[in-house]
mmCIF file of all heavy atoms in Angstrom:
data_model
loop_
_atom_site.group_PDB
_atom_site.id
_atom_site.type_symbol
_atom_site.label_atom_id
_atom_site.label_comp_id
_atom_site.label_asym_id
_atom_site.label_seq_id
_atom_site.Cartn_x
_atom_site.Cartn_y
_atom_site.Cartn_z
ATOM 1 N N ALA R 84 5.512 22.560 -11.360
ATOM 2 C CA ALA R 84 6.047 21.783 -12.481
ATOM 3 C C ALA R 84 7.544 21.545 -12.293
ATOM 4 O O ALA R 84 8.329 22.486 -12.191
ATOM 5 C CB ALA R 84 5.791 22.517 -13.794
ATOM 6 N N LEU R 85 7.937 20.278 -12.209
ATOM 7 C CA LEU R 85 9.337 19.891 -12.060
ATOM 8 C C LEU R 85 9.610 18.760 -13.050
ATOM 9 O O LEU R 85 9.409 17.585 -12.752
ATOM 10 C CB LEU R 85 9.631 19.423 -10.624
ATOM 11 C CG LEU R 85 9.449 20.451 -9.508
ATOM 12 C CD1 LEU R 85 9.502 19.778 -8.155
ATOM 13 C CD2 LEU R 85 10.511 21.538 -9.602
ATOM 14 N N GLU R 86 10.077 19.129 -14.231
ATOM 15 C CA GLU R 86 10.247 18.150 -15.299
ATOM 16 C C GLU R 86 11.240 17.049 -14.921
ATOM 17 O O GLU R 86 11.037 15.877 -15.231
ATOM 18 C CB GLU R 86 10.704 18.850 -16.581
ATOM 19 C CG GLU R 86 9.647 19.754 -17.196
ATOM 20 C CD GLU R 86 8.390 18.989 -17.600
ATOM 21 O OE1 GLU R 86 8.516 17.821 -18.010
ATOM 22 O OE2 GLU R 86 7.289 19.545 -17.477
ATOM 23 N N ASP R 87 12.331 17.420 -14.250
ATOM 24 C CA ASP R 87 13.355 16.431 -13.901
ATOM 25 C C ASP R 87 12.839 15.381 -12.938
ATOM 26 O O ASP R 87 13.374 14.268 -12.859
ATOM 27 C CB ASP R 87 14.579 17.123 -13.296
ATOM 28 C CG ASP R 87 15.302 17.988 -14.313
ATOM 29 O OD1 ASP R 87 15.072 17.785 -15.525
ATOM 30 O OD2 ASP R 87 16.091 18.869 -13.899
ATOM 31 N N GLU R 88 11.809 15.727 -12.185
ATOM 32 C CA GLU R 88 11.286 14.809 -11.172
ATOM 33 C C GLU R 88 10.264 13.817 -11.740
ATOM 34 O O GLU R 88 9.734 12.987 -11.014
ATOM 35 C CB GLU R 88 10.631 15.602 -10.031
ATOM 36 C CG GLU R 88 11.579 16.507 -9.271
ATOM 37 C CD GLU R 88 12.498 15.736 -8.351
ATOM 38 O OE1 GLU R 88 12.462 14.499 -8.366
ATOM 39 O OE2 GLU R 88 13.254 16.383 -7.612
ATOM 40 N N ARG R 89 9.978 13.904 -13.025
ATOM 41 C CA ARG R 89 9.005 12.995 -13.617
ATOM 42 C C ARG R 89 9.651 11.692 -14.072
ATOM 43 O O ARG R 89 8.972 10.721 -14.385
ATOM 44 C CB ARG R 89 8.320 13.650 -14.824
ATOM 45 C CG ARG R 89 7.516 14.885 -14.495
ATOM 46 C CD ARG R 89 6.488 14.656 -13.424
ATOM 47 N NE ARG R 89 5.677 13.472 -13.686
ATOM 48 C CZ ARG R 89 4.969 12.828 -12.765
ATOM 49 N NH1 ARG R 89 5.003 13.211 -11.505
ATOM 50 N NH2 ARG R 89 4.248 11.770 -13.091
ATOM 51 N N GLU R 90 10.965 11.656 -14.130
ATOM 52 C CA GLU R 90 11.666 10.489 -14.654
ATOM 53 C C GLU R 90 11.826 9.406 -13.586
ATOM 54 O O GLU R 90 11.872 9.687 -12.394
ATOM 55 C CB GLU R 90 13.042 10.909 -15.178
ATOM 56 C CG GLU R 90 12.976 11.946 -16.293
ATOM 57 C CD GLU R 90 14.355 12.390 -16.746
ATOM 58 O OE1 GLU R 90 15.349 11.897 -16.163
ATOM 59 O OE2 GLU R 90 14.450 13.224 -17.656
ATOM 60 N N GLY R 91 11.935 8.181 -14.038
ATOM 61 C CA GLY R 91 12.220 7.071 -13.134
ATOM 62 C C GLY R 91 10.989 6.538 -12.425
ATOM 63 O O GLY R 91 9.883 7.056 -12.551
ATOM 64 N N TYR R 92 11.214 5.497 -11.653
ATOM 65 C CA TYR R 92 10.136 4.862 -10.904
ATOM 66 C C TYR R 92 9.929 5.561 -9.563
ATOM 67 O O TYR R 92 10.804 6.286 -9.070
ATOM 68 C CB TYR R 92 10.462 3.388 -10.683
ATOM 69 C CG TYR R 92 10.579 2.593 -11.963
ATOM 70 C CD1 TYR R 92 11.772 1.944 -12.300
ATOM 71 C CD2 TYR R 92 9.495 2.481 -12.832
ATOM 72 C CE1 TYR R 92 11.876 1.206 -13.475
ATOM 73 C CE2 TYR R 92 9.600 1.748 -14.012
ATOM 74 C CZ TYR R 92 10.788 1.122 -14.330
ATOM 75 O OH TYR R 92 10.890 0.394 -15.489
ATOM 76 N N GLY R 93 8.765 5.301 -8.952
ATOM 77 C CA GLY R 93 8.410 6.030 -7.744
ATOM 78 C C GLY R 93 8.621 5.299 -6.436
ATOM 79 O O GLY R 93 8.584 5.912 -5.374
ATOM 80 N N PHE R 94 8.833 3.980 -6.492
ATOM 81 C CA PHE R 94 8.898 3.208 -5.242
ATOM 82 C C PHE R 94 10.166 2.372 -5.190
ATOM 83 O O PHE R 94 10.473 1.634 -6.139
ATOM 84 C CB PHE R 94 7.677 2.275 -5.160
ATOM 85 C CG PHE R 94 7.649 1.408 -3.937
ATOM 86 C CD1 PHE R 94 7.057 1.857 -2.773
ATOM 87 C CD2 PHE R 94 8.215 0.141 -3.946
ATOM 88 C CE1 PHE R 94 7.025 1.044 -1.646
ATOM 89 C CE2 PHE R 94 8.198 -0.670 -2.835
ATOM 90 C CZ PHE R 94 7.596 -0.210 -1.679
ATOM 91 N N PRO R 95 10.899 2.485 -4.065
ATOM 92 C CA PRO R 95 10.751 3.420 -2.949
ATOM 93 C C PRO R 95 11.390 4.771 -3.281
ATOM 94 O O PRO R 95 12.008 4.926 -4.324
ATOM 95 C CB PRO R 95 11.506 2.724 -1.811
ATOM 96 C CG PRO R 95 12.578 1.951 -2.527
ATOM 97 C CD PRO R 95 11.979 1.500 -3.826
ATOM 98 N N SER R 96 11.271 5.716 -2.366
ATOM 99 C CA SER R 96 11.822 7.056 -2.601
ATOM 100 C C SER R 96 13.341 7.053 -2.466
ATOM 101 O O SER R 96 13.885 6.668 -1.435
ATOM 102 C CB SER R 96 11.227 8.041 -1.587
ATOM 103 O OG SER R 96 11.960 9.255 -1.582
ATOM 104 N N GLY R 97 14.016 7.502 -3.518
ATOM 105 C CA GLY R 97 15.473 7.577 -3.490
ATOM 106 C C GLY R 97 15.987 8.623 -2.529
ATOM 107 O O GLY R 97 16.993 8.418 -1.839
ATOM 108 N N HIS R 98 15.303 9.785 -2.461
ATOM 109 C CA HIS R 98 15.740 10.847 -1.548
ATOM 110 C C HIS R 98 15.600 10.413 -0.089
ATOM 111 O O HIS R 98 16.478 10.683 0.732
ATOM 112 C CB HIS R 98 14.931 12.124 -1.791
ATOM 113 C CG HIS R 98 15.405 12.944 -2.942
ATOM 114 N ND1 HIS R 98 15.372 12.496 -4.239
ATOM 115 C CD2 HIS R 98 15.955 14.194 -2.989
ATOM 116 C CE1 HIS R 98 15.851 13.431 -5.048
ATOM 117 N NE2 HIS R 98 16.228 14.464 -4.313
ATOM 118 N N ALA R 99 14.482 9.745 0.228
ATOM 119 C CA ALA R 99 14.277 9.276 1.606
ATOM 120 C C ALA R 99 15.339 8.241 1.968
ATOM 121 O O ALA R 99 15.906 8.271 3.071
ATOM 122 C CB ALA R 99 12.882 8.673 1.753
ATOM 123 N N PHE R 100 15.609 7.338 1.046
ATOM 124 C CA PHE R 100 16.621 6.306 1.281
ATOM 125 C C PHE R 100 18.009 6.923 1.424
ATOM 126 O O PHE R 100 18.752 6.607 2.371
ATOM 127 C CB PHE R 100 16.599 5.317 0.112
ATOM 128 C CG PHE R 100 17.672 4.262 0.188
ATOM 129 C CD1 PHE R 100 17.525 3.159 1.005
ATOM 130 C CD2 PHE R 100 18.837 4.377 -0.563
ATOM 131 C CE1 PHE R 100 18.515 2.185 1.076
ATOM 132 C CE2 PHE R 100 19.825 3.410 -0.508
ATOM 133 C CZ PHE R 100 19.666 2.308 0.320
ATOM 134 N N ALA R 101 18.381 7.799 0.498
ATOM 135 C CA ALA R 101 19.726 8.388 0.521
ATOM 136 C C ALA R 101 19.943 9.245 1.761
ATOM 137 O O ALA R 101 21.016 9.200 2.380
ATOM 138 C CB ALA R 101 19.942 9.228 -0.739
ATOM 139 N N ALA R 102 18.942 10.043 2.142
ATOM 140 C CA ALA R 102 19.068 10.871 3.340
ATOM 141 C C ALA R 102 19.249 10.011 4.579
ATOM 142 O O ALA R 102 20.061 10.315 5.461
ATOM 143 C CB ALA R 102 17.840 11.766 3.491
#
Side-chain angles (χ1 to χ4, degrees):
L85 297 169
E86 292 299 326
D87 293 342
E88 297 286 5
R89 297 305 311 160
E90 300 177 359
Y92 298 120
F94 179 89
S96 166
H98 279 64
F100 176 80

